[in-house]
Amino acid sequence: MSVSLIPLTGIPEVGAGDDLVALLLGAADAADIALEDGDVVVVSSKVVSKSLGLWADSADRGAAVMSQTVRVVAERMSQGRITRIVQSTAGPVMAAAGVDASNTGHRDDVLLLPANPDAEAEHLRVALLAATGLQRLGVVLSDTAGRPWRSGQTDFALGASGVLVVDDLRGAVDADGRPLSVTARAVGDELAAAADLVKGKADAIPAALVRGTGWALPHGGAGARVLLRTGREDWFDHGSSEAVRAALGVEPGSLEAEEVGIPDVGPTPRADRLRRAVAVALRGTPQVGMDVGGDEVHLSGQSAYQLGVAVTRLQVALWGEGLTTEAPDEVDGVEVRLEVRER
């Protein structure tokens, strides 16, 4: 298989109401490129958002992000501002719900993602087929995101139509004849990432053709939403700190999370982490007193049971902050002093 990546250059700044199909075909004609059956057209979701007029005021970017958020996965303080990883209304889990201020054509506003990326991809595919007379074209709306466990960002399929987005190889065999039980290639994401090699992030090239893959379909297909892990398949529905805090009743994205303090992106003094842990632990034990002095916490309660609950909650909260402590084997009365150290 030989695959070609062809950038569609010369597309002007897109405005609300612009005909993207005409702009794409005009760029292809100007480069003496004719679309062929089996081509996959990869289009930056940003130009789709621009054509739909999906702008929001950058002065309240936080509100824009929350308006596009289904749930908060993780959040960190960075330079005095909260950065959130969220499940977006568009579908994927992304930083800031995909709300973006880059490549906005010198506007101060921010762009939102299309609410239904698969439907927008289908609209483009149908219009391109009608304009060209072709029978089989794929369309991928691409966006950019980071990935767990990996540095940097890459493009992925936010929306898709006319493309086999998942090549499910389960039940087949590998090159050595061994059965494949879990392998399912994310073809939609691979197409988006491949196209970005010629689109780039700073070259004002929002679209490209991927030719020769064989992944284009004669119908709309399932769309990119099938690539999303949800429900029991989502093993990472909270960040590491957020999972601990949520188990103690402090959900990310909530007012309670802001009240107890949101973890920072960078290194944080132990005193600040200890303060947050105590605040989280106290939310479930209002009848217990906690005093912090240096690396020591003094707890007092009205009963041994209350004290035990408080110690346990504090140990869990400390773990979420990279700290730990050990309760004494025996407690005299309803008071205890705990020494806190790095985990």
Side-chain angles (χ1 to χ4, degrees):
M1 180 184 294
S2 177
V3 176
S4 300
L5 306 175
I6 307 169
L8 297 180
T9 60
I11 296 176
E13 180 64 29
V14 174
D18 283 354
D19 186 343
L20 284 183
V21 169
L23 293 175
L24 292 168
L25 294 177
D29 288 341
D32 198 23
I33 300 168
L35 269 65
E36 301 176 0
D37 269 316
D39 283 348
V40 177
V41 184
V42 180
V43 182
S44 169
S45 64
K46 190 158 293 182
V47 296
V48 175
S49 294
K50 289 178 180 179
S51 72
L52 296 172
L54 302 180
W55 296 98
D57 188 352
S58 62
D60 198 354
R61 183 169 180 171
V65 171
M66 294 309 293
S67 75
Q68 303 297 300
T69 294
V70 175
R71 63 183 176 88
V72 177
V73 174
E75 55 190 356
R76 296 290 184 273
M77 292 296 298
S78 178
Q79 299 178 345
R81 188 175 69 181
I82 302 174
T83 297
R84 291 188 168 103
I85 308 297
V86 307
Q87 180 186 350
S88 64
T89 55
V93 171
M94 306 175 67
V99 174
D100 199 354
S102 65
N103 289 319
T104 54
H106 306 294
R107 289 184 57 153
D108 292 332
D109 296 329
V110 293
L111 271 174
L112 312 180
L113 294 179
N116 191 337
D118 285 335
E120 298 301 333
E122 170 70 358
H123 172 76
L124 282 177
R125 184 185 73 90
V126 170
L128 283 168
L129 290 175
T132 60
L134 297 173
Q135 300 298 311
R136 188 165 56 93
L137 283 175
V139 172
V140 172
L141 298 192
S142 66
D143 205 68
T144 307
R147 301 146 298 156
W149 310 303
R150 305 287 288 181
S151 295
Q153 294 81 37
T154 188
D155 270 27
F156 69 98
L158 178 70
S161 178
V163 175
L164 184 67
V165 294
V166 177
D167 182 21
D168 192 346
L169 299 176
R170 291 173 295 180
V173 296
D174 66 12
D176 298 319
R178 297 185 181 92
L180 297 170
S181 58
V182 298
T183 302
R185 294 176 58 198
V187 174
D189 290 343
E190 291 178 338
L191 291 168
D196 193 54
L197 294 174
V198 295
K199 291 197 293 108
K201 294 289 182 288
D203 300 322
I205 303 174
L209 293 182
V210 183
R211 177 168 291 170
T213 67
W215 297 119
L217 301 172
H219 52 80
R225 190 164 285 269
V226 300
L227 289 165
L228 303 177
R229 287 186 183 271
T230 58
R232 293 180 62 85
E233 292 186 356
D234 183 4
W235 293 7
F236 315 104
D237 62 349
H238 282 87
S240 56
S241 294
E242 286 73 19
V244 172
R245 288 155 63 100
L248 295 172
V250 180
E251 287 283 351
S254 65
L255 179 61
E256 290 82 5
E258 294 191 35
E259 288 177 349
V260 301
I262 294 173
D264 294 272
V265 170
T268 307
R270 184 187 301 180
D272 292 342
R273 290 181 286 146
L274 176 55
R275 175 187 54 78
R276 285 197 300 261
V278 167
V280 170
L282 273 174
R283 296 196 71 83
T285 54
Q287 69 278 23
V288 173
M290 294 192 194
D291 295 318
V292 179
D295 291 333
E296 191 176 76
V297 181
H298 175 227
L299 291 83
S300 59
Q302 298 177 359
S303 70
Y305 174 79
Q306 291 177 351
L307 187 62
V309 170
V311 169
T312 301
R313 286 182 61 87
L314 179 60
Q315 287 176 312
V316 174
L318 288 169
W319 187 268
E321 293 286 353
L323 303 171
T324 189
T325 187
E326 293 182 6
D329 294 333
E330 296 183 4
V331 177
D332 183 17
V334 288
E335 294 187 3
V336 66
R337 292 186 181 276
L338 303 176
E339 184 178 345
V340 176
R341 64 180 186 276
E342 297 292 333
R343 175 158 56 87

